[in-house]
Amino acid sequence: PAGGGPSMATKATPSGLAIRPRRMGFSLVPALPAAVTAAAPASMSQYLGIVFGILGQLWKHGGVAATQISPLRRWSMLAIALAATTCANVFINGVAFLIPTLHAERDLDLAASALMSSLPSLGMVVTLIAWGYVVDRVGERLVLVLGSALTAAAAFAAAAADSLILTGVFLFVGGMAAASSNTASGRLVVGWFDAERRGLVMGIRQTAQPLGVGVGALVIPRIAEFGGVTGALLFPAAVCAASALLCAVA
């Protein structure tokens, strides 16, 4: 500098050298990847990367190697995922058993009733790939909890809706959320079990769909006889809410 003394950015030493002081700090988000923390995000994909990185750290996704997982934990996690997928399939396929009630109570013809019953399946198709992207980044547990909770909320909203249009919208949204259990349980088979057991585990996991259809066929028409469409939709809402709680605490 012009005055001959050290600038505010440097500090003089006895040897005559100038050193620059360092500012020490700490981060509230530990161990995030360097690609996430290196620079400010410039696109939506980078924002999503930050969010998923934080969620993955909070839920400790990927913190345990597959070889370190005990057999009890493997099979218990499979049982929980099987229960969650079964409950999701009660919602996805259960609306089909309301076709006679929709015809008698809401005066819908067969074509309109069939369209209404297909909305959860259509919603599931829309988000299957997106849920696969999410489960790769935050793990199976968070996806099962979030998906089951959203499915339950959509089912409760569909039961409370006053118009058929709103009921259809919530059925579609519920199907979008219910797709989460399919991707999460599929990834669990590949990531948590050895190759020698994946066929058996996949067979067990695939029983969730017929189990969900069977439970819906046994329960939903009986409730519809007394409670109508509103009462019948409360059943898949209740089982999906119980599934979300189970996945969160188990």
Side-chain angles (χ1 to χ4, degrees):
S7 68
M8 296 182 64
T10 61
K11 182 179 179 181
T13 64
S15 62
L17 298 176
I19 60 172
R20 189 179 302 273
R22 295 173 59 189
R23 178 175 297 176
M24 304 300 294
F26 63 94
S27 174
L28 294 177
V29 181
L32 286 181
V36 173
T37 57
S43 65
M44 182 58 68
S45 62
Q46 289 177 302
Y47 280 111
L48 290 176
I50 292 177
V51 172
F52 291 140
I54 295 173
L55 290 175
Q57 289 291 330
L58 292 177
W59 286 74
K60 298 180 181 179
H61 169 53
V64 179
T67 56
Q68 298 176 353
I69 302 173
S70 66
L72 177 61
R73 187 180 178 193
R74 294 174 195 268
W75 291 102
S76 62
M77 188 63 183
L78 176 63
I80 294 169
L82 177 65
T85 309
T86 299
C87 294
N89 276 281
V90 171
F91 174 81
I92 294 170
N93 300 287
V95 185
F97 303 111
L98 291 176
I99 290 178
T101 308
L102 289 170
H103 175 69
E105 183 180 301
R106 306 292 178 93
D107 198 27
L108 294 181
D109 58 21
L110 180 60
S113 299
L115 176 62
M116 186 72 70
S117 67
S118 69
L119 289 175
S121 297
L122 293 175
M124 180 180 66
V125 171
V126 170
T127 55
L128 274 171
I129 297 176
W131 279 116
Y133 177 86
V134 174
V135 77
D136 281 341
R137 280 148 185 82
V138 301
E140 300 87 352
R141 183 184 179 190
L142 180 57
V143 168
L144 288 173
V145 173
L146 181 61
S148 297
L150 291 175
T151 305
F156 279 120
D162 295 329
S163 68
L164 280 173
I165 294 178
L166 281 178
T167 300
V169 168
F170 287 124
L171 290 176
F172 184 83
V173 172
M176 295 173 65
S180 60
S181 62
N182 286 339
T183 56
S185 60
R187 188 179 187 274
L188 184 145
V189 171
V190 176
W192 288 54
F193 289 88
D194 299 331
E196 292 79 7
R197 294 183 177 178
R198 287 175 189 165
L200 171 63
V201 176
M202 182 63 73
I204 296 173
R205 177 250 186 188
Q206 290 297 101
T207 62
Q209 182 175 359
L211 282 174
V213 174
V215 171
L218 287 173
V219 178
I220 289 178
R222 305 296 179 268
I223 299 177
E225 290 178 359
F226 304 99
V229 174
T230 298
L233 287 176
L234 291 176
F235 175 70
V239 297
C240 288
S243 169
L245 181 62
L246 174 66
C247 294
V249 302

